[in-house]
Amino acid sequence: MSTAPDTSPGSSSTPPSEALLRDALRTVIDPEIGLDIVTVGLIYDVEINEGIARVTFTLTTPGCPMEAHITQGIVRALSIVPGVTDVETNLVWDPSWHPGMITEASW
Amino acid sequence: MSGPPLRLPGEHFIAGLVFLVLGALGLVSVAPALSVGAYPAPTLVGVIHLFTLGWITTSIMGALYQFLPVALGQSIASERAAHVTFALYVSGVAALVAGMYLGRHTLLLVGVATLGVAIVMFLVNLGITLYRAERRELTWWAVCAAAVFLGITLVFGTALSLNLGNGFLGAAHDIALGTHIHVALFGWVLLVMVGVAHRLLPMFLLSHGGRTYFASYAVALLATGAGLLTVFHHVPILGREVPAFFLAAGVFAFLIQAREFYRKRHRPALDPGLHLAAFALGLLAVAIPLGALVLFGVASLNVRVAYVLTVLLACSLFVAAHYFKIVPFLIWNRHFGPLAGTRPLPRVGDLYSQRLANVAAACLALGAAMLAASVAAGSLVGVRVGAALFATGVVIEAGQMTAIARRRP
């Protein structure tokens, strides 16, 4: 899925780091677990190339009612990061998520 | 694949809560009949149906509409039919219970007929959905079997209702009543609980790495037991001791499975809903030895009623526990979800008071335990106090659900 975010902050000359993008994604939470989607382990990969942020992620279960909100949340959270001109999301089910993927000591 | 709009499960949950409040107040009013084990008393039977049909089954229907897309990858076949079913079902339950409580046989039969149409519509809608589902795992089998036993419960219930007018069942009345109760609670309610809990408990507890095959045993044993009871209910051993063994073994397998989920959880602290669910499962465990006393004919009338009440309250509390998980999630998904990524948002658990939820869970648990024990012991004071505690818990939970429904960003 590709969306065209607000590009106004994207005029920064240096591309944002992956760590910065992951930090931005921490504003999106899994409301039931009560942790952000990075800590929960839903984000499999984040990369940026020529201003386009690509996020490979999963959900806790197929058919999760949160799919639309988490996808939109990812797009919104990254769109406001300076240097990001577009966000592409890629929802995958392999490997499937399990609670062991939650970052330890995050409770 | 997403769930239906909030309205469909929402209307079921609202109606379910209204029936629960009425049922809890009804328990207080029928305390004298309960304390002497007078199960056939029409007022008591009416109150019991506020729980079985009004609270538990209405909640199951609403929850399935939300849950099937997640569990089976298939939304309910017709949302419109589901709304019509809901209207008929709620009207049917109201007429049936009023007919029983007030001793109006004609009103009762109107209720049975309306309810019958609603349940058949529900089963057809559910059947089409299950037929279309591509994911046929344990939950699919559990819901399929449960749907069959809901239909059988309706048949026995209709026969018992007609019997009130003309007594055509004669000496077979007690056997028909026992079959109706057990097929309803173990075949319909518990099979759904096993199938749904197999997905929801690990999701809520964040369980991982535990053994999951006990749930398969539970579904097979419960379905076999309820099936044998349905077919052979008039046969001495094959229709009594054998099904009882299968049903008890099925409950035991379910309890072992649930214990495995709790033991292998990654979520360190349990919230009020998960505490209450654990208590409900413990109460269900108590029903096994009580059932054995009834089976071997060494139980008094009071213990017989306490046995049925224990199973009923365990199922009621298990459903009440899940309201603390499902309702705030639905509200969050509807009103807070669209804001994801734009600003910090509350967690599902932040949408209600954990302290009040804990008070509600404690009142429900203590009230249920005291009710069951006092009915077994024949203590009117104990039954009244237990019913009052239980009703207090229900009112607090209903208040919490109302507050959750009003939460907005």
Side-chain angles (χ1 to χ4, degrees), chain A residues 29 31-34 61-63 65-66 69 73 76-77 98-100 102 107, chain B residues 70 199 206-208 266-268 325 332-333 337-338 340 342 345-348:
Chain A
I29 63 166
E32 212 296 309
I33 298 175
T61 180
M66 286 293 299
H69 298 320
R76 289 191 195 115
H98 60 79
I102 299 175
W107 297 92
Chain B
V70 180
R199 289 296 302 265
L206 299 174
S207 301
H208 180 60
H266 281 240
R267 190 188 285 272
K325 307 297 291 182
W332 194 100
N333 205 28
T342 62
L345 294 173
R347 300 167 304 153
V348 162

PDB file of all heavy atoms in Angstrom, chain A residues 29 31-34 61-63 65-66 69 73 76-77 98-100 102 107, chain B residues 70 199 206-208 266-268 325 332-333 337-338 340 342 345-348:
ATOM      1  N   ILE A  29       0.111   2.501  19.065  1.00  0.00           N
ATOM      2  CA  ILE A  29       0.055   1.442  20.082  1.00  0.00           C
ATOM      3  C   ILE A  29      -0.883   0.315  19.670  1.00  0.00           C
ATOM      4  O   ILE A  29      -1.780   0.500  18.846  1.00  0.00           O
ATOM      5  CB  ILE A  29      -0.401   1.976  21.461  1.00  0.00           C
ATOM      6  CG1 ILE A  29      -1.832   2.536  21.395  1.00  0.00           C
ATOM      7  CG2 ILE A  29       0.564   3.021  21.983  1.00  0.00           C
ATOM      8  CD1 ILE A  29      -2.464   2.759  22.763  1.00  0.00           C
ATOM      9  N   PRO A  31      -3.695  -1.239  21.367  1.00  0.00           N
ATOM     10  CA  PRO A  31      -4.426  -0.783  22.554  1.00  0.00           C
ATOM     11  C   PRO A  31      -4.726  -1.895  23.551  1.00  0.00           C
ATOM     12  O   PRO A  31      -4.868  -1.629  24.746  1.00  0.00           O
ATOM     13  CB  PRO A  31      -5.713  -0.202  21.967  1.00  0.00           C
ATOM     14  CG  PRO A  31      -5.893  -0.919  20.674  1.00  0.00           C
ATOM     15  CD  PRO A  31      -4.511  -1.156  20.149  1.00  0.00           C
ATOM     16  N   GLU A  32      -4.850  -3.128  23.084  1.00  0.00           N
ATOM     17  CA  GLU A  32      -5.188  -4.226  24.001  1.00  0.00           C
ATOM     18  C   GLU A  32      -3.968  -4.625  24.810  1.00  0.00           C
ATOM     19  O   GLU A  32      -4.039  -4.800  26.035  1.00  0.00           O
ATOM     20  CB  GLU A  32      -5.724  -5.418  23.205  1.00  0.00           C
ATOM     21  CG  GLU A  32      -6.767  -6.236  23.946  1.00  0.00           C
ATOM     22  CD  GLU A  32      -6.249  -6.923  25.185  1.00  0.00           C
ATOM     23  OE1 GLU A  32      -5.212  -7.619  25.093  1.00  0.00           O
ATOM     24  OE2 GLU A  32      -6.848  -6.762  26.265  1.00  0.00           O
ATOM     25  N   ILE A  33      -2.839  -4.750  24.140  1.00  0.00           N
ATOM     26  CA  ILE A  33      -1.618  -5.131  24.847  1.00  0.00           C
ATOM     27  C   ILE A  33      -1.117  -3.952  25.676  1.00  0.00           C
ATOM     28  O   ILE A  33      -0.539  -4.126  26.748  1.00  0.00           O
ATOM     29  CB  ILE A  33      -0.544  -5.608  23.840  1.00  0.00           C
ATOM     30  CG1 ILE A  33      -1.055  -6.857  23.104  1.00  0.00           C
ATOM     31  CG2 ILE A  33       0.781  -5.906  24.530  1.00  0.00           C
ATOM     32  CD1 ILE A  33      -0.143  -7.352  21.992  1.00  0.00           C
ATOM     33  N   GLY A  34      -1.343  -2.744  25.164  1.00  0.00           N
ATOM     34  CA  GLY A  34      -0.954  -1.558  25.911  1.00  0.00           C
ATOM     35  C   GLY A  34       0.479  -1.132  25.654  1.00  0.00           C
ATOM     36  O   GLY A  34       1.046  -0.363  26.435  1.00  0.00           O
ATOM     37  N   THR A  61      -2.819 -11.140  14.835  1.00  0.00           N
ATOM     38  CA  THR A  61      -3.589 -12.267  14.309  1.00  0.00           C
ATOM     39  C   THR A  61      -4.207 -11.873  12.972  1.00  0.00           C
ATOM     40  O   THR A  61      -4.588 -10.715  12.793  1.00  0.00           O
ATOM     41  CB  THR A  61      -4.704 -12.682  15.302  1.00  0.00           C
ATOM     42  OG1 THR A  61      -5.428 -13.779  14.753  1.00  0.00           O
ATOM     43  CG2 THR A  61      -5.657 -11.558  15.594  1.00  0.00           C
ATOM     44  N   PRO A  62      -4.301 -12.827  12.023  1.00  0.00           N
ATOM     45  CA  PRO A  62      -4.993 -12.512  10.768  1.00  0.00           C
ATOM     46  C   PRO A  62      -6.439 -12.124  11.058  1.00  0.00           C
ATOM     47  O   PRO A  62      -7.068 -12.691  11.956  1.00  0.00           O
ATOM     48  CB  PRO A  62      -4.935 -13.835   9.994  1.00  0.00           C
ATOM     49  CG  PRO A  62      -3.779 -14.576  10.571  1.00  0.00           C
ATOM     50  CD  PRO A  62      -3.739 -14.187  12.016  1.00  0.00           C
ATOM     51  N   GLY A  63      -6.945 -11.154  10.318  1.00  0.00           N
ATOM     52  CA  GLY A  63      -8.311 -10.703  10.545  1.00  0.00           C
ATOM     53  C   GLY A  63      -8.419  -9.738  11.704  1.00  0.00           C
ATOM     54  O   GLY A  63      -9.520  -9.395  12.128  1.00  0.00           O
ATOM     55  N   PRO A  65      -9.060  -6.747  13.841  1.00  0.00           N
ATOM     56  CA  PRO A  65      -9.873  -5.567  13.543  1.00  0.00           C
ATOM     57  C   PRO A  65      -9.070  -4.273  13.544  1.00  0.00           C
ATOM     58  O   PRO A  65      -9.547  -3.242  13.093  1.00  0.00           O
ATOM     59  CB  PRO A  65     -10.924  -5.557  14.660  1.00  0.00           C
ATOM     60  CG  PRO A  65     -10.719  -6.778  15.472  1.00  0.00           C
ATOM     61  CD  PRO A  65      -9.444  -7.423  15.076  1.00  0.00           C
ATOM     62  N   MET A  66      -7.844  -4.343  14.068  1.00  0.00           N
ATOM     63  CA  MET A  66      -7.004  -3.147  14.163  1.00  0.00           C
ATOM     64  C   MET A  66      -6.242  -2.851  12.876  1.00  0.00           C
ATOM     65  O   MET A  66      -5.502  -1.874  12.815  1.00  0.00           O
ATOM     66  CB  MET A  66      -5.982  -3.331  15.297  1.00  0.00           C
ATOM     67  CG  MET A  66      -6.552  -3.213  16.685  1.00  0.00           C
ATOM     68  SD  MET A  66      -7.101  -1.544  16.977  1.00  0.00           S
ATOM     69  CE  MET A  66      -5.563  -0.690  16.783  1.00  0.00           C
ATOM     70  N   HIS A  69      -6.467   0.695  11.341  1.00  0.00           N
ATOM     71  CA  HIS A  69      -5.972   1.752  12.223  1.00  0.00           C
ATOM     72  C   HIS A  69      -4.450   1.693  12.369  1.00  0.00           C
ATOM     73  O   HIS A  69      -3.781   2.731  12.399  1.00  0.00           O
ATOM     74  CB  HIS A  69      -6.638   1.661  13.592  1.00  0.00           C
ATOM     75  CG  HIS A  69      -8.121   1.840  13.540  1.00  0.00           C
ATOM     76  ND1 HIS A  69      -8.725   2.759  12.716  1.00  0.00           N
ATOM     77  CD2 HIS A  69      -9.126   1.198  14.188  1.00  0.00           C
ATOM     78  CE1 HIS A  69     -10.029   2.700  12.863  1.00  0.00           C
ATOM     79  NE2 HIS A  69     -10.302   1.749  13.743  1.00  0.00           N
ATOM     80  N   GLY A  73      -2.018   4.421  11.102  1.00  0.00           N
ATOM     81  CA  GLY A  73      -1.159   4.991  12.146  1.00  0.00           C
ATOM     82  C   GLY A  73       0.294   5.015  11.706  1.00  0.00           C
ATOM     83  O   GLY A  73       1.013   6.000  11.937  1.00  0.00           O
ATOM     84  N   ARG A  76       0.676   7.806   9.136  1.00  0.00           N
ATOM     85  CA  ARG A  76       0.609   9.140   9.756  1.00  0.00           C
ATOM     86  C   ARG A  76       1.863   9.423  10.584  1.00  0.00           C
ATOM     87  O   ARG A  76       2.410  10.531  10.540  1.00  0.00           O
ATOM     88  CB  ARG A  76      -0.618   9.242  10.648  1.00  0.00           C
ATOM     89  CG  ARG A  76      -1.920   9.293   9.882  1.00  0.00           C
ATOM     90  CD  ARG A  76      -3.046   9.667  10.838  1.00  0.00           C
ATOM     91  NE  ARG A  76      -4.341   9.390  10.232  1.00  0.00           N
ATOM     92  CZ  ARG A  76      -5.204   8.486  10.683  1.00  0.00           C
ATOM     93  NH1 ARG A  76      -4.899   7.771  11.751  1.00  0.00           N
ATOM     94  NH2 ARG A  76      -6.350   8.299  10.085  1.00  0.00           N
ATOM     95  N   ALA A  77       2.292   8.417  11.344  1.00  0.00           N
ATOM     96  CA  ALA A  77       3.440   8.632  12.236  1.00  0.00           C
ATOM     97  C   ALA A  77       4.710   8.937  11.441  1.00  0.00           C
ATOM     98  O   ALA A  77       5.530   9.766  11.853  1.00  0.00           O
ATOM     99  CB  ALA A  77       3.648   7.396  13.111  1.00  0.00           C
ATOM    100  N   HIS A  98       4.173 -13.886  17.452  1.00  0.00           N
ATOM    101  CA  HIS A  98       3.830 -14.578  18.697  1.00  0.00           C
ATOM    102  C   HIS A  98       4.317 -13.714  19.865  1.00  0.00           C
ATOM    103  O   HIS A  98       5.187 -12.839  19.700  1.00  0.00           O
ATOM    104  CB  HIS A  98       4.439 -15.989  18.740  1.00  0.00           C
ATOM    105  CG  HIS A  98       5.928 -16.011  18.642  1.00  0.00           C
ATOM    106  ND1 HIS A  98       6.740 -15.730  19.712  1.00  0.00           N
ATOM    107  CD2 HIS A  98       6.751 -16.258  17.589  1.00  0.00           C
ATOM    108  CE1 HIS A  98       8.013 -15.820  19.327  1.00  0.00           C
ATOM    109  NE2 HIS A  98       8.036 -16.127  18.048  1.00  0.00           N
ATOM    110  N   PRO A  99       3.741 -13.941  21.056  1.00  0.00           N
ATOM    111  CA  PRO A  99       4.064 -13.066  22.191  1.00  0.00           C
ATOM    112  C   PRO A  99       5.548 -13.052  22.565  1.00  0.00           C
ATOM    113  O   PRO A  99       6.008 -12.115  23.218  1.00  0.00           O
ATOM    114  CB  PRO A  99       3.220 -13.646  23.334  1.00  0.00           C
ATOM    115  CG  PRO A  99       2.080 -14.320  22.661  1.00  0.00           C
ATOM    116  CD  PRO A  99       2.655 -14.891  21.390  1.00  0.00           C
ATOM    117  N   GLY A 100       6.294 -14.082  22.142  1.00  0.00           N
ATOM    118  CA  GLY A 100       7.727 -14.091  22.421  1.00  0.00           C
ATOM    119  C   GLY A 100       8.461 -12.970  21.706  1.00  0.00           C
ATOM    120  O   GLY A 100       9.629 -12.675  22.010  1.00  0.00           O
ATOM    121  N   ILE A 102       7.586  -9.863  21.828  1.00  0.00           N
ATOM    122  CA  ILE A 102       7.518  -8.632  22.622  1.00  0.00           C
ATOM    123  C   ILE A 102       8.870  -8.415  23.290  1.00  0.00           C
ATOM    124  O   ILE A 102       9.450  -9.343  23.855  1.00  0.00           O
ATOM    125  CB  ILE A 102       6.418  -8.725  23.699  1.00  0.00           C
ATOM    126  CG1 ILE A 102       5.050  -8.916  23.037  1.00  0.00           C
ATOM    127  CG2 ILE A 102       6.401  -7.481  24.581  1.00  0.00           C
ATOM    128  CD1 ILE A 102       3.912  -9.143  24.020  1.00  0.00           C
ATOM    129  N   TRP A 107       7.251  -4.462  30.232  1.00  0.00           N
ATOM    130  CA  TRP A 107       6.009  -4.255  31.000  1.00  0.00           C
ATOM    131  C   TRP A 107       6.274  -3.307  32.126  1.00  0.00           C
ATOM    132  O   TRP A 107       6.266  -3.470  33.199  1.00  0.00           O
ATOM    133  CB  TRP A 107       5.464  -5.596  31.500  1.00  0.00           C
ATOM    134  CG  TRP A 107       5.094  -6.488  30.386  1.00  0.00           C
ATOM    135  CD1 TRP A 107       5.891  -7.422  29.799  1.00  0.00           C
ATOM    136  CD2 TRP A 107       3.853  -6.539  29.683  1.00  0.00           C
ATOM    137  NE1 TRP A 107       5.233  -8.053  28.774  1.00  0.00           N
ATOM    138  CE2 TRP A 107       3.971  -7.530  28.673  1.00  0.00           C
ATOM    139  CE3 TRP A 107       2.660  -5.832  29.791  1.00  0.00           C
ATOM    140  CZ2 TRP A 107       2.953  -7.830  27.800  1.00  0.00           C
ATOM    141  CZ3 TRP A 107       1.647  -6.139  28.915  1.00  0.00           C
ATOM    142  CH2 TRP A 107       1.785  -7.128  27.934  1.00  0.00           C
TER     143      TRP A 107
ATOM    144  N   VAL B  70     -12.422 -12.739  12.665  1.00  0.00           N
ATOM    145  CA  VAL B  70     -11.063 -12.925  13.176  1.00  0.00           C
ATOM    146  C   VAL B  70     -10.717 -14.415  13.212  1.00  0.00           C
ATOM    147  O   VAL B  70      -9.652 -14.838  12.778  1.00  0.00           O
ATOM    148  CB  VAL B  70     -10.928 -12.324  14.597  1.00  0.00           C
ATOM    149  CG1 VAL B  70      -9.519 -12.526  15.135  1.00  0.00           C
ATOM    150  CG2 VAL B  70     -11.288 -10.851  14.585  1.00  0.00           C
ATOM    151  N   ARG B 199      -9.143 -19.143  21.081  1.00  0.00           N
ATOM    152  CA  ARG B 199      -8.508 -18.016  20.372  1.00  0.00           C
ATOM    153  C   ARG B 199      -8.297 -16.820  21.292  1.00  0.00           C
ATOM    154  O   ARG B 199      -7.258 -16.167  21.253  1.00  0.00           O
ATOM    155  CB  ARG B 199      -9.390 -17.580  19.188  1.00  0.00           C
ATOM    156  CG  ARG B 199      -9.427 -18.562  18.041  1.00  0.00           C
ATOM    157  CD  ARG B 199      -8.069 -18.746  17.377  1.00  0.00           C
ATOM    158  NE  ARG B 199      -7.505 -17.505  16.857  1.00  0.00           N
ATOM    159  CZ  ARG B 199      -7.635 -17.100  15.605  1.00  0.00           C
ATOM    160  NH1 ARG B 199      -8.281 -17.838  14.746  1.00  0.00           N
ATOM    161  NH2 ARG B 199      -7.099 -15.965  15.216  1.00  0.00           N
ATOM    162  N   LEU B 206      -1.602 -13.306  26.204  1.00  0.00           N
ATOM    163  CA  LEU B 206      -0.336 -13.348  25.465  1.00  0.00           C
ATOM    164  C   LEU B 206       0.403 -14.648  25.800  1.00  0.00           C
ATOM    165  O   LEU B 206       1.567 -14.639  26.188  1.00  0.00           O
ATOM    166  CB  LEU B 206       0.521 -12.121  25.781  1.00  0.00           C
ATOM    167  CG  LEU B 206      -0.114 -10.780  25.411  1.00  0.00           C
ATOM    168  CD1 LEU B 206       0.750  -9.628  25.900  1.00  0.00           C
ATOM    169  CD2 LEU B 206      -0.337 -10.689  23.917  1.00  0.00           C
ATOM    170  N   SER B 207      -0.319 -15.758  25.643  1.00  0.00           N
ATOM    171  CA  SER B 207       0.272 -17.070  25.916  1.00  0.00           C
ATOM    172  C   SER B 207       1.039 -17.552  24.706  1.00  0.00           C
ATOM    173  O   SER B 207       0.644 -17.323  23.567  1.00  0.00           O
ATOM    174  CB  SER B 207      -0.818 -18.095  26.223  1.00  0.00           C
ATOM    175  OG  SER B 207      -1.561 -17.691  27.319  1.00  0.00           O
ATOM    176  N   HIS B 208       2.133 -18.223  24.986  1.00  0.00           N
ATOM    177  CA  HIS B 208       2.930 -18.744  23.871  1.00  0.00           C
ATOM    178  C   HIS B 208       3.734 -19.948  24.348  1.00  0.00           C
ATOM    179  O   HIS B 208       4.291 -19.937  25.441  1.00  0.00           O
ATOM    180  CB  HIS B 208       3.884 -17.664  23.353  1.00  0.00           C
ATOM    181  CG  HIS B 208       4.732 -18.133  22.218  1.00  0.00           C
ATOM    182  ND1 HIS B 208       4.199 -18.582  21.030  1.00  0.00           N
ATOM    183  CD2 HIS B 208       6.079 -18.258  22.090  1.00  0.00           C
ATOM    184  CE1 HIS B 208       5.186 -18.932  20.210  1.00  0.00           C
ATOM    185  NE2 HIS B 208       6.327 -18.754  20.835  1.00  0.00           N
ATOM    186  N   HIS B 266       2.602 -14.376  28.789  1.00  0.00           N
ATOM    187  CA  HIS B 266       3.688 -13.389  28.825  1.00  0.00           C
ATOM    188  C   HIS B 266       3.245 -12.131  29.560  1.00  0.00           C
ATOM    189  O   HIS B 266       4.060 -11.326  29.953  1.00  0.00           O
ATOM    190  CB  HIS B 266       4.122 -13.018  27.403  1.00  0.00           C
ATOM    191  CG  HIS B 266       5.007 -14.056  26.784  1.00  0.00           C
ATOM    192  ND1 HIS B 266       6.290 -13.794  26.367  1.00  0.00           N
ATOM    193  CD2 HIS B 266       4.805 -15.367  26.529  1.00  0.00           C
ATOM    194  CE1 HIS B 266       6.831 -14.901  25.867  1.00  0.00           C
ATOM    195  NE2 HIS B 266       5.941 -15.869  25.949  1.00  0.00           N
ATOM    196  N   ARG B 267       1.917 -11.954  29.666  1.00  0.00           N
ATOM    197  CA  ARG B 267       1.393 -10.772  30.361  1.00  0.00           C
ATOM    198  C   ARG B 267       1.539 -11.022  31.863  1.00  0.00           C
ATOM    199  O   ARG B 267       0.899 -11.934  32.405  1.00  0.00           O
ATOM    200  CB  ARG B 267      -0.078 -10.572  30.001  1.00  0.00           C
ATOM    201  CG  ARG B 267      -0.664  -9.261  30.450  1.00  0.00           C
ATOM    202  CD  ARG B 267      -2.166  -9.260  30.226  1.00  0.00           C
ATOM    203  NE  ARG B 267      -2.541  -9.098  28.828  1.00  0.00           N
ATOM    204  CZ  ARG B 267      -2.720  -7.922  28.242  1.00  0.00           C
ATOM    205  NH1 ARG B 267      -2.534  -6.814  28.915  1.00  0.00           N
ATOM    206  NH2 ARG B 267      -3.086  -7.851  26.972  1.00  0.00           N
ATOM    207  N   PRO B 268       2.389 -10.259  32.539  1.00  0.00           N
ATOM    208  CA  PRO B 268       2.654 -10.586  33.941  1.00  0.00           C
ATOM    209  C   PRO B 268       1.475 -10.343  34.880  1.00  0.00           C
ATOM    210  O   PRO B 268       1.181 -11.172  35.730  1.00  0.00           O
ATOM    211  CB  PRO B 268       3.839  -9.671  34.296  1.00  0.00           C
ATOM    212  CG  PRO B 268       3.824  -8.578  33.282  1.00  0.00           C
ATOM    213  CD  PRO B 268       3.165  -9.109  32.056  1.00  0.00           C
ATOM    214  N   LYS B 325     -13.041  -7.099  28.388  1.00  0.00           N
ATOM    215  CA  LYS B 325     -12.035  -7.132  27.330  1.00  0.00           C
ATOM    216  C   LYS B 325     -12.612  -6.642  25.996  1.00  0.00           C
ATOM    217  O   LYS B 325     -11.972  -5.879  25.274  1.00  0.00           O
ATOM    218  CB  LYS B 325     -11.495  -8.562  27.139  1.00  0.00           C
ATOM    219  CG  LYS B 325     -10.991  -9.238  28.398  1.00  0.00           C
ATOM    220  CD  LYS B 325      -9.798  -8.525  29.011  1.00  0.00           C
ATOM    221  CE  LYS B 325      -8.547  -8.628  28.173  1.00  0.00           C
ATOM    222  NZ  LYS B 325      -7.403  -7.963  28.812  1.00  0.00           N
ATOM    223  N   TRP B 332     -12.770   1.542  21.637  1.00  0.00           N
ATOM    224  CA  TRP B 332     -11.464   2.083  21.228  1.00  0.00           C
ATOM    225  C   TRP B 332     -11.343   2.034  19.704  1.00  0.00           C
ATOM    226  O   TRP B 332     -10.947   3.013  19.055  1.00  0.00           O
ATOM    227  CB  TRP B 332     -10.336   1.266  21.868  1.00  0.00           C
ATOM    228  CG  TRP B 332      -8.991   1.947  21.787  1.00  0.00           C
ATOM    229  CD1 TRP B 332      -8.377   2.655  22.770  1.00  0.00           C
ATOM    230  CD2 TRP B 332      -8.101   1.983  20.653  1.00  0.00           C
ATOM    231  NE1 TRP B 332      -7.175   3.139  22.333  1.00  0.00           N
ATOM    232  CE2 TRP B 332      -6.975   2.749  21.032  1.00  0.00           C
ATOM    233  CE3 TRP B 332      -8.154   1.464  19.360  1.00  0.00           C
ATOM    234  CZ2 TRP B 332      -5.907   2.986  20.169  1.00  0.00           C
ATOM    235  CZ3 TRP B 332      -7.087   1.714  18.492  1.00  0.00           C
ATOM    236  CH2 TRP B 332      -5.978   2.464  18.904  1.00  0.00           C
ATOM    237  N   ASN B 333     -11.712   0.883  19.161  1.00  0.00           N
ATOM    238  CA  ASN B 333     -11.572   0.689  17.714  1.00  0.00           C
ATOM    239  C   ASN B 333     -12.426   1.675  16.930  1.00  0.00           C
ATOM    240  O   ASN B 333     -12.022   2.179  15.889  1.00  0.00           O
ATOM    241  CB  ASN B 333     -11.980  -0.758  17.367  1.00  0.00           C
ATOM    242  CG  ASN B 333     -11.317  -1.235  16.102  1.00  0.00           C
ATOM    243  OD1 ASN B 333     -10.229  -0.786  15.750  1.00  0.00           O
ATOM    244  ND2 ASN B 333     -11.959  -2.143  15.404  1.00  0.00           N
ATOM    245  N   GLY B 337      -9.336   4.533  17.419  1.00  0.00           N
ATOM    246  CA  GLY B 337      -8.504   3.950  16.369  1.00  0.00           C
ATOM    247  C   GLY B 337      -8.199   4.888  15.212  1.00  0.00           C
ATOM    248  O   GLY B 337      -7.051   4.958  14.757  1.00  0.00           O
ATOM    249  N   PRO B 338      -9.207   5.655  14.733  1.00  0.00           N
ATOM    250  CA  PRO B 338      -8.930   6.551  13.604  1.00  0.00           C
ATOM    251  C   PRO B 338      -7.873   7.613  13.911  1.00  0.00           C
ATOM    252  O   PRO B 338      -7.371   8.259  12.990  1.00  0.00           O
ATOM    253  CB  PRO B 338     -10.300   7.200  13.338  1.00  0.00           C
ATOM    254  CG  PRO B 338     -11.294   6.213  13.853  1.00  0.00           C
ATOM    255  CD  PRO B 338     -10.647   5.601  15.051  1.00  0.00           C
ATOM    256  N   ALA B 340      -5.005   6.931  15.454  1.00  0.00           N
ATOM    257  CA  ALA B 340      -3.704   6.271  15.646  1.00  0.00           C
ATOM    258  C   ALA B 340      -2.621   6.969  14.837  1.00  0.00           C
ATOM    259  O   ALA B 340      -2.810   7.283  13.658  1.00  0.00           O
ATOM    260  CB  ALA B 340      -3.793   4.807  15.230  1.00  0.00           C
ATOM    261  N   THR B 342      -1.501   9.948  15.306  1.00  0.00           N
ATOM    262  CA  THR B 342      -1.594  11.410  15.311  1.00  0.00           C
ATOM    263  C   THR B 342      -1.299  12.005  16.684  1.00  0.00           C
ATOM    264  O   THR B 342      -0.912  13.151  16.799  1.00  0.00           O
ATOM    265  CB  THR B 342      -3.002  11.888  14.888  1.00  0.00           C
ATOM    266  OG1 THR B 342      -3.947  11.384  15.836  1.00  0.00           O
ATOM    267  CG2 THR B 342      -3.357  11.371  13.503  1.00  0.00           C
ATOM    268  N   LEU B 345      -2.581   7.925  22.557  1.00  0.00           N
ATOM    269  CA  LEU B 345      -3.941   7.452  22.805  1.00  0.00           C
ATOM    270  C   LEU B 345      -3.975   6.557  24.040  1.00  0.00           C
ATOM    271  O   LEU B 345      -2.968   5.930  24.385  1.00  0.00           O
ATOM    272  CB  LEU B 345      -4.443   6.659  21.583  1.00  0.00           C
ATOM    273  CG  LEU B 345      -4.631   7.456  20.301  1.00  0.00           C
ATOM    274  CD1 LEU B 345      -4.968   6.536  19.143  1.00  0.00           C
ATOM    275  CD2 LEU B 345      -5.722   8.507  20.469  1.00  0.00           C
ATOM    276  N   PRO B 346      -5.133   6.494  24.712  1.00  0.00           N
ATOM    277  CA  PRO B 346      -5.228   5.608  25.881  1.00  0.00           C
ATOM    278  C   PRO B 346      -5.204   4.148  25.452  1.00  0.00           C
ATOM    279  O   PRO B 346      -5.500   3.823  24.299  1.00  0.00           O
ATOM    280  CB  PRO B 346      -6.583   5.974  26.481  1.00  0.00           C
ATOM    281  CG  PRO B 346      -7.377   6.472  25.319  1.00  0.00           C
ATOM    282  CD  PRO B 346      -6.403   7.157  24.411  1.00  0.00           C
ATOM    283  N   ARG B 347      -4.858   3.289  26.406  1.00  0.00           N
ATOM    284  CA  ARG B 347      -4.964   1.849  26.159  1.00  0.00           C
ATOM    285  C   ARG B 347      -6.409   1.429  26.411  1.00  0.00           C
ATOM    286  O   ARG B 347      -7.179   2.178  27.019  1.00  0.00           O
ATOM    287  CB  ARG B 347      -4.039   1.081  27.099  1.00  0.00           C
ATOM    288  CG  ARG B 347      -2.569   1.437  26.970  1.00  0.00           C
ATOM    289  CD  ARG B 347      -1.802   0.864  28.126  1.00  0.00           C
ATOM    290  NE  ARG B 347      -2.366   1.329  29.396  1.00  0.00           N
ATOM    291  CZ  ARG B 347      -2.287   0.677  30.543  1.00  0.00           C
ATOM    292  NH1 ARG B 347      -1.675  -0.473  30.605  1.00  0.00           N
ATOM    293  NH2 ARG B 347      -2.831   1.156  31.637  1.00  0.00           N
ATOM    294  N   VAL B 348      -6.745   0.226  25.961  1.00  0.00           N
ATOM    295  CA  VAL B 348      -8.093  -0.296  26.204  1.00  0.00           C
ATOM    296  C   VAL B 348      -8.395  -0.300  27.707  1.00  0.00           C
ATOM    297  O   VAL B 348      -9.484   0.081  28.142  1.00  0.00           O
ATOM    298  CB  VAL B 348      -8.215  -1.728  25.610  1.00  0.00           C
ATOM    299  CG1 VAL B 348      -9.401  -2.461  26.214  1.00  0.00           C
ATOM    300  CG2 VAL B 348      -8.347  -1.655  24.095  1.00  0.00           C
TER     301      VAL B 348
END
